[in-house]
Amino acid sequence: MYEANSIFDWHRRGFEALNSYWETLDQLEQAVKDVSDADLGFVEDQLDTVLEMIDAFEPTVSVIGQVKAGKSTLLNALIGKPGMLPSDVNPWTSVITALHLNARHRPMDTRALFRFFDRHEWDRLVATGGRLGEMANRAGFETEAESVRKQVTAMRDATEARLGEQFEDLLGTSRAFPTLDKAVLDQYICYGDPDDLADGAIEGTYADLTKSADLYLDLPHLPRGLCLRDTPGVNDTFMMREQITLNAIGDSRACIVVLSAHQALTTMDLALLRIICAIDAREVVIFVNRIDELEDPRGAQTAIRNSIRKTLGRMGLGEEIEILFGSGYWANCAMGDVSEMAPASRAALEKMTGTTPSSETELRQRAMEASGIGALMQAVVTRIVEGPGQAVLGDVQDELERIIERAETVDSVARVADPSTILSESKLMLRLAEIEEEAVSAFNNEAAGLRAELRERLDRAQEQFVASALEALQSHIDTYGEIGAWTHDPTALRMAMKTAFASNCARLRRKGESALDMVSDGIDTFLAAEFGVIREADVSRFPEQPQHRAPTVLARMITLDMQGAWWRRYWRFNRKGAAQARYREVIIAETTPLIEDLMTEYFDPAIARSREIVERFAFDQGQFCKAVRERCLSGASGHDKERLSA
C-alpha cells in the first residue's frame, strides 16, 4: 500500500542541505544571544542588528515561465501538494503567489494574505492599456493601442460590475484568512473564465484586482524559512504585472526558469532569456518541464539542451546556468492517484525508464525518479546555501568576532597614567563627528562622480546602439527595398547597459571600502593619541559591502522585442529617411526610461546602501571609543570623573 512518507522522502532528501544550514544558523544565533546576555553595554545595538539580520533571512526562489509552461504544477510538486495552486491559467489575470514554507514569522491567525492594487495602479492600467498599450503608443501604432485599451476597459468594466460596491472598498487594501481553503484560493488566485464569472461562478472573483498572495504552509517534509514564488507568465496578454514580476525576481536568491519541452525556446521564451541576462547566471536553474508529453523523453533531451545552450551562448551567457529536465505532472501523479496517469504520459515514462512497472508502488517510484523534482530541489538549495546562506553566516560570524574583540579590548583598558588628559565627552563627540563627516563627504564626492560617469556610459551605449541599428536598417533597405519587414534585436544594448552598471557598482564598492578605511584610520589614530590604545588590524575589520540589486529592469519588454504583425508592418511603405527618423524616435522613447530607472531605482539606492554601511561603521566605532573612555574613567578619581563628564 502506498505510504505518503515514502514519496515525501524525496522532499526531505532534496531539502536536506537547507535544513542542515538552518541548524548551523540556529547555533550561531544562540551564540549571539549568549553574548547579548553578558550585558556588554556598548555593543547592545550591534548585537541587536546581528539578531535582526538572522531574523530577517528568508531566501526566496522565484519560478518564471510562459503561461502553460507548467509553473504551478511544478510548484505543487515541489511542496508535495497536488492541486493546491490552480494550473489551468487564463493569461488575463496572473497573481504573484508566495508560498512561505514553515515560516519563522507567520502573521498571527493568518494562512493566506491577499493584497489588492491601489487606485493609482488600477487607473494607470486602464488609461494606458498597460505596458502593451504604452509600447504601441510609443511605436506609433495608435489603432493597436486603442484596441488594447478597449480590451482592458472591457476587463475593468466586468470586474467593477462583478464586485459592485466591494470594488472601491478593496482598492489598496488586503484580506487575511486563518486557513488555506481551496475555495478561497480559487476566488483570489484562480484564473476563472470571464463568461463563467458572468454566470455566477466564484473562481477568479477577485483575481483581476489581486496584486499578490502570501500563503503559509507548515508541513514536516518541507524545509524551514524558504519562500517559493509563483510569478505571472511572461506572455501575460497585457503585461499587467510585468514590473511586479521583475521586482519579485530582483528580490529573489535563486530563479527557476521553466520551459515547456514540446515548445522550448519559442518566441515568447526570449522574454525569459532577457530576464536571465539581467540577473546573476549562478542564481539560475533552467527546468525543461513537461517531458512526459514527448514520445522519447530521454532521446529528445540532447537536442533540446544543445538548442538552449546555443541560444544562451548567443546572448553572452556561459556554462554556469544548469539545465535540468523533468515533469511536474509525473511528480503530481506519484503523490496523488497514479492510476489516473494519462496513457500517453505513462508510455513516455516507460520509454524513458526502459521498464514496465509491475505495481502502482513501482509506478510511483519510477514517476518520482523521472520527474526531476529531487534534482531541482538540490540544485536550488545548493544555490541558496552556497550563495546568500554562506554570506549571512559569514556576516554574522565576522560581526560576532568583531563585537567580542572590541569588548575584550575595552575590558583590557584598566587605567590611564594621567586621567587629566582624558577628553571631555563633548570633545570626544566632536572628534568622532569630524571623522565620520570626513569619510562620508569623501564617499559622497566619489559616488557623485561615479553616478555622472554611469549616466554618460549609458547614454553612450544608447547612441551607439542607435547608430548600429540605423546602419543595419539602411543595409536592409538597400537590399530589400522599402517593402520588407524589419526587426532589430536590442540584446546588445541591454548587455552594454548591464556591463556599465555592473562595472560602476564594483567601483562603488571600492569607494565604500575607501571610506571605511578612512573611518578606521581616523579612529585608530584618535585612540592611540588620546587613550594609548593600539588595536590589532583585525579588530576593525570592515563590514561586508552590500550586494547591489540585479538590474532586472533591463529585462522589461520594449517595442524592439516585438516580433508580431505590428512590428513587421512598421517599415512597409516608408521612405528610407522617414524610416530612420521614426526608428531613432522609437529607440530613444523606449530605452530612455530604462536609463532613468537604472539610475534612480538601482544605482542611487546602491549609493545609499553603501553610505549607510559607512555611517553605521562610524557609529559603531564611535560607540567603541565611548566605551574605552568610560573604562578609562572607571580608574579615575571621583573628582576627575565629575570634571570629565562635563
Side-chain angles (χ1 to χ4, degrees):
M1 183 176 178
Y2 163 62
E3 292 290 340
N5 281 338
S6 65
I7 292 295
F8 289 150
D9 280 344
W10 287 88
H11 293 78
R12 296 187 181 94
R13 289 195 297 270
F15 291 121
E16 183 178 8
L18 183 56
N19 284 326
S20 297
Y21 169 82
W22 278 112
E23 292 176 2
T24 301
L25 190 58
D26 286 343
Q27 295 171 2
L28 199 53
E29 181 179 27
Q30 186 57 52
V32 176
K33 290 179 179 178
D34 291 343
V35 174
S36 182
D37 291 340
D39 191 24
L40 296 179
F42 78 98
V43 295
E44 287 182 2
D45 287 342
Q46 293 97 305
L47 289 168
D48 287 343
T49 299
V50 174
L51 291 173
E52 288 171 3
M53 181 195 311
I54 298 173
D55 198 53
F57 184 58
E58 184 192 41
T60 300
V61 179
S62 285
V63 181
I64 65 174
Q66 284 194 53
V67 170
K68 294 297 186 182
K71 300 189 309 299
S72 297
T73 299
L74 183 62
L75 270 167
N76 287 336
L78 286 171
I79 63 175
K81 297 282 286 184
M84 179 174 175
L85 295 178
S87 56
D88 184 17
V89 298
N90 169 1
W92 272 53
T93 53
S94 306
V95 178
I96 287 187
T97 304
L99 303 173
H100 303 271
L101 310 183
N102 297 311
R104 306 175 80 204
H105 306 290
R106 175 170 57 85
M108 185 176 296
D109 298 325
T110 299
R111 294 287 180 183
L113 177 65
F114 306 98
R115 294 180 175 86
F116 301 105
F117 288 111
D118 60 30
R119 166 58 70 181
H120 172 74
E121 293 166 327
W122 186 259
D123 287 347
R124 179 175 176 271
L125 170 66
V126 175
T128 64
R131 281 276 296 136
L132 197 55
E134 292 173 358
M135 288 163 55
N137 266 325
R138 284 179 183 168
F141 298 115
E142 292 83 2
T143 301
E144 287 80 357
E146 181 59 29
S147 175
V148 172
R149 278 193 293 272
K150 286 181 179 179
Q151 293 180 65
V152 176
T153 299
M155 181 199 71
R156 179 208 56 185
D157 292 343
T159 301
E160 294 185 7
R162 181 172 68 249
L163 297 178
E165 294 181 356
Q166 288 188 79
F167 178 81
E168 290 292 341
D169 295 337
L170 290 173
L171 287 173
T173 66
S174 62
R175 282 184 174 178
F177 295 86
T179 60
L180 282 177
D181 187 288
K182 191 173 189 318
V184 172
L185 297 184
D186 286 348
Q187 291 184 64
Y188 290 87
I189 66 174
C190 185
Y191 313 97
D193 186 277
D195 293 334
D196 292 339
L197 289 169
D199 293 335
I202 64 170
E203 289 85 358
T205 301
Y206 304 104
D208 289 339
L209 203 56
T210 304
K211 181 177 182 177
S212 64
D214 290 275
L215 310 181
Y216 297 86
L217 291 83
D218 294 339
L219 296 170
H221 61 276
L222 297 177
R224 246 190 327 143
L226 178 64
C227 176
L228 301 177
R229 190 180 276 149
D230 189 12
T231 64
V234 293
N235 45 340
D236 180 344
T237 305
F238 307 117
M239 295 180 286
M240 292 167 56
R241 294 168 170 82
E242 180 190 47
Q243 193 56 51
I244 299 172
T245 298
L246 294 179
N247 289 341
I249 294 168
D251 292 337
S252 297
R253 303 308 181 100
C255 184
I256 302 172
V257 179
V258 184
L259 304 179
S260 180
H262 67 290
Q263 57 179 27
L265 292 181
T266 63
T267 299
M268 286 310 305
D269 283 317
L270 293 177
L272 299 178
L273 300 182
R274 286 200 310 274
I275 292 174
I276 294 175
C277 285
I279 59 182
D280 192 332
R282 291 170 298 180
E283 300 173 354
V284 176
V285 178
I286 291 179
F287 188 81
V288 182
N289 194 26
R290 301 175 69 173
I291 65 170
D292 58 283
E293 299 176 11
L294 302 176
E295 184 177 347
D296 181 10
R298 187 178 300 279
Q301 288 184 24
T302 299
I304 295 173
R305 186 188 302 275
N306 289 341
S307 175
I308 294 172
R309 286 290 181 206
K310 184 177 180 180
T311 304
L312 293 176
R314 286 200 306 265
M315 303 188 76
L317 298 171
E319 296 292 320
E320 300 97 334
I321 297 178
E322 187 173 2
I323 302 174
L324 301 175
F325 291 80
S327 166
Y329 174 75
W330 278 341
N332 278 271
C333 287
M335 291 180 283
D337 188 352
V338 73
S339 65
E340 294 294 321
M341 183 184 295
S345 182
R346 179 163 180 168
L349 177 62
E350 292 178 359
K351 175 82 171 179
M352 180 172 178
T353 60
T355 61
T356 300
S358 59
S359 65
E360 285 195 0
T361 299
E362 185 180 353
L363 179 59
R364 292 182 192 279
Q365 185 71 13
R366 294 285 182 267
M368 279 301 294
E369 289 174 353
S371 72
I373 296 301
L376 179 59
M377 292 175 189
Q378 292 176 2
V380 169
V381 166
T382 297
R383 281 156 178 75
I384 291 173
V385 171
E386 295 181 357
Q390 285 302 316
V392 169
L393 285 180
D395 288 347
V396 173
Q397 289 172 331
D398 287 347
E399 188 60 29
L400 184 58
E401 290 176 6
R402 280 194 293 267
I403 289 171
I404 293 173
E405 289 164 345
R406 290 175 195 169
E408 291 175 346
T409 299
V410 169
D411 191 57
S412 68
V413 182
R415 61 183 180 82
V416 291
D418 184 3
S420 64
T421 63
I422 301 176
L423 267 69
S424 67
E425 184 172 359
S426 59
K427 290 183 178 179
L428 172 66
M429 297 298 293
L430 179 61
R431 181 60 188 132
L432 293 176
E434 290 173 348
I435 293 173
E436 178 178 353
E437 173 61 26
E438 182 181 6
V440 172
S441 178
F443 172 79
N444 286 339
N445 290 335
E446 296 284 2
L450 285 178
R451 190 184 194 282
E453 289 179 28
L454 176 59
R455 181 59 192 245
E456 182 180 349
R457 290 183 67 179
L458 294 175
D459 289 340
R460 188 164 60 247
Q462 183 187 47
E463 282 302 316
Q464 289 173 346
F465 178 77
V466 170
S468 66
L470 293 180
E471 182 179 350
L473 173 60
Q474 181 173 343
S475 175
H476 174 87
I477 294 176
D478 291 343
T479 303
Y480 299 103
E482 299 177 7
I483 61 173
W486 165 254
T487 62
H488 195 68
D489 186 1
T491 299
L493 176 61
R494 285 190 172 97
M495 296 306 293
M497 288 183 171
K498 180 183 178 182
T499 299
F501 177 81
S503 173
N504 277 50
C505 279
R507 294 174 64 193
L508 179 65
R509 289 170 64 87
R510 292 195 291 272
K511 300 304 181 185
E513 291 169 358
S514 296
L516 293 171
D517 201 33
M518 288 183 66
V519 172
S520 183
D521 287 347
I523 294 294
D524 286 345
T525 300
F526 173 71
L527 287 172
E530 299 298 337
F531 302 106
V533 174
I534 306 299
R535 298 192 300 179
E536 296 181 6
D538 61 351
V539 174
S540 57
R541 285 173 298 182
F542 299 153
E544 183 67 23
Q545 286 280 289
Q547 294 296 322
H548 305 307
R549 290 172 58 203
T552 52
V553 66
L554 293 178
R556 192 169 64 200
M557 177 159 302
I558 62 177
T559 302
L560 302 181
D561 293 309
M562 297 167 62
Q563 303 293 319
W566 292 6
W567 195 245
R568 289 198 300 272
R569 294 200 311 271
Y570 191 88
W571 301 112
R572 292 177 181 171
F573 312 113
N574 280 293
R575 289 176 292 105
K576 182 173 69 174
Q580 289 182 341
R582 192 178 187 190
Y583 193 31
R584 170 183 286 275
E585 182 181 336
V586 169
I587 296 175
I588 297 299
E590 280 292 296
T591 57
T592 296
L594 296 183
I595 294 175
E596 296 298 335
D597 283 349
L598 271 177
M599 298 302 301
T600 61
E601 300 298 324
Y602 291 86
F603 197 68
D604 286 347
I607 291 174
R609 287 193 294 273
S610 291
R611 183 189 300 112
E612 183 180 355
I613 290 290
V614 174
E615 292 173 341
R616 181 68 194 183
F617 181 69
F619 174 81
D620 291 344
Q621 293 294 301
Q623 294 297 101
F624 173 72
C625 291
K626 292 178 186 178
V628 170
R629 179 179 180 275
E630 290 299 319
R631 189 66 186 88
C632 290
L633 280 176
S634 66
S637 65
H639 175 74
D640 286 331
K641 291 180 182 179
E642 182 177 348
R643 176 182 60 79
L644 295 170
S645 298

